[in-house]
Amino acid sequence: MSITRTLGEFIIEHQNHFPHASGDLSSLLGSIKLAAKIVNREINKAGLVDITGSVGAENVQGEEQQKLDLYANDKFKAALEARGQVCGIASEEEDEAVSFNKELNKNAKYVVLMDPLDGSSNIDVNVSVGTIFSIYHRVSPIGSAPTAEDFLQPGHKQVAAGYIIYGSSTMLVYTTGKGVHGFTYDPSIGVFCLSHEKMMIPATGSIYSINEGNYIRFPTGIKKYIKYCQEDAPEDNRPYTSRYIGSLVADYHRNLLKGGVYLYPSTQRHPDGKLRLLYECNPIAFLMEQSGGKATDGYQRILDIKPTELHQRVPFVVGSTIMVEKVESFLQQYPD
Ligand code: AHG
Ligand code: MN
Ligand code: MN
């Protein structure tokens, strides 16, 4: 790959596409880039230093917190506070939204919502993990502390969103609503380099990604869809291939490149599914629509849902448009 542009150059270049841009969003993305490098360095040391395993505590959603969950949370939070473009954050690892109290931050116009470490149970077994972020303009007055309304905006109000995948190579993928662009990290020079410009998902594919261990608890429409994926129909590339890593970012990234569908549906025990609307589904849905794909809860567009609470969960179907629509048609055909 010949290096054409670095992430920093690309961000500045694209800032010029927005009339009256002040550079604040570019600087904010720069903070995320910096924290990503720090977290990447730490993840690469997993197994060598004492950073794997749990801290013996649970987050507000009752999930065991891993050391790296908290490390990533602290690094992203600190980086976002330091430059003063962000007035507050909400994170999967924080019980409540956090307001940044310095004068500099009160005058900031953005809030950031994040899943600092996605797929964290995969760290100890050397499997890809990620960070997901979502950026909104605040709706509360500049100069004051952020309010709940700043964090509970529907996903279609996002200004930017993206993820970092810490995989066989580390990549940062983001959108500001003008396409999706991917940058691969070159650790020898410490720079993210443009490697995937204007990423588009194929309209259909032959991969389905779902935790089939939960099969017995799925709605009938999802069970029927899984059987449809497994049918022998060579003219339609079926049976499809089943691929499930258990890190949303990694499963999403593969399906984006190859074409496919990812599902985390409701189950009898968890009617709202598992994934979090604000930290996982909204940013991923924004990216997917910008790549030409679709993201729904099986019935309605994720980005149109008006959130009511920070840690809200939602069933999630995301991927190639034709495949997502097929899932929707099964749910319509077999209502429970
Ligand atoms: P997190 O590590 O941030 O809690 O997210 C884990 C999520 C998501 O990344 C993954 O796709 C899903 O949980 C896996 O859940 P199951 O183990 O229930 O399949
Ligand atoms: Mn997650
Ligand atoms: Mn997480």
Side-chain angles (χ1 to χ4, degrees):
M1 182 191 76
S2 65
I3 297 176
T4 53
R5 268 169 293 174
T6 69
L7 174 58
E9 287 166 345
F10 191 88
I11 290 170
I12 299 293
E13 211 173 281
H14 279 236
Q15 175 186 318
N16 301 331
H17 297 174
F18 294 89
H20 316 301
S22 62
D24 283 7
L25 182 61
S26 302
S27 179
L28 198 175
L29 291 167
S31 307
I32 289 174
K33 181 178 73 175
L34 180 61
K37 290 182 192 178
I38 294 169
V39 170
N40 179 60
R41 185 188 61 197
E42 209 61 16
I43 286 174
N44 285 335
K45 288 192 281 193
L48 292 173
V49 293
D50 183 26
I51 47 163
T52 56
S54 99
V55 288
E58 289 183 345
N59 65 18
V60 70
Q61 303 148 78
E63 294 159 341
E64 196 176 44
Q65 287 181 308
Q66 306 290 314
K67 287 177 197 158
L68 272 167
D69 281 326
L70 299 186
Y71 182 87
N73 189 57
D74 288 351
K75 294 302 170 198
F76 277 93
K77 191 164 69 169
L80 292 167
E81 184 170 19
R83 290 193 189 173
Q85 275 81 35
V86 178
C87 60
I89 59 132
S91 161
E92 188 184 281
E93 302 304 336
E94 303 274 351
D95 297 0
E96 311 279 348
V98 179
S99 348
F100 295 150
N101 291 321
K102 285 190 281 188
E103 226 35 62
L104 182 72
N105 299 97
K106 282 189 187 157
N107 290 324
K109 54 180 188 243
Y110 294 108
V111 292
V112 176
L113 292 85
M114 62 179 179
D115 177 355
L117 203 69
D118 173 64
S120 54
S121 64
N122 276 327
I123 278 280
D124 295 5
V125 291
N126 213 340
V127 170
S128 300
V129 292
T131 297
I132 311 174
F133 60 91
S134 167
I135 303 172
Y136 294 82
H137 275 296
R138 70 188 302 176
V139 289
S140 59
I142 290 203
S144 58
T147 63
E149 285 64 45
D150 294 321
F151 297 100
L152 297 178
Q153 301 186 55
H156 64 79
K157 297 275 188 193
Q158 286 172 103
V159 172
Y163 60 83
I164 297 106
I165 176 168
Y166 311 97
S168 42
S169 64
T170 294
M171 277 188 75
L172 189 151
V173 175
Y174 83 105
T175 184
T176 53
K178 297 204 180 316
V180 175
H181 311 289
F183 300 80
T184 302
Y185 187 58
D186 182 339
S188 66
I189 52 171
V191 172
F192 282 99
C193 302
L194 180 63
S195 52
H196 297 66
E197 196 166 3
K198 295 195 185 78
M199 299 173 85
M200 296 299 286
I201 188 166
T204 191
S206 53
I207 296 175
Y208 73 105
S209 309
I210 186 166
N211 185 344
E212 269 182 82
N214 295 325
Y215 183 88
I216 207 76
R217 301 183 183 138
F218 287 147
T220 309
I222 298 294
K223 288 181 179 160
K224 296 276 188 194
Y225 177 72
I226 291 172
K227 290 297 156 211
Y228 164 87
C229 294
Q230 296 168 347
E231 269 166 24
D232 193 19
E235 69 287 356
D236 188 31
N237 268 333
R238 283 179 288 142
Y240 292 157
T241 297
S242 166
R243 289 282 182 271
Y244 190 75
I245 293 169
S247 292
L248 170 64
V249 164
D251 281 307
Y252 175 86
H253 188 74
R254 180 203 53 241
N255 290 0
L256 167 64
L257 294 175
K258 297 197 160 188
V261 64
Y262 174 97
L263 306 98
Y264 209 110
S266 63
T267 63
Q268 282 158 12
R269 226 181 260 178
H270 301 289
D272 295 324
K274 175 182 184 189
L275 299 180
R276 278 121 315 199
L277 175 60
L278 298 182
Y279 318 121
E280 295 171 318
C281 302
N282 269 338
I284 291 292
F286 184 25
L287 287 156
M288 184 44 88
E289 289 194 4
Q290 284 292 314
S291 291
K294 199 167 173 180
T296 76
D297 66 358
Y299 302 91
Q300 63 168 327
R301 183 181 180 225
I302 290 290
L303 297 182
D304 285 339
I305 298 173
K306 172 76 182 91
T308 52
E309 44 184 296
L310 276 184
H311 300 292
Q312 183 170 343
R313 296 174 194 265
V314 70
F316 198 39
V317 184
V318 63
S320 296
T321 300
I322 292 171
M323 299 178 85
V324 172
E325 288 175 353
K326 190 56 137 180
V327 176
E328 290 173 330
S329 75
F330 271 89
L331 287 167
Q332 294 285 341
Q333 199 182 340
Y334 300 100
D336 279 312

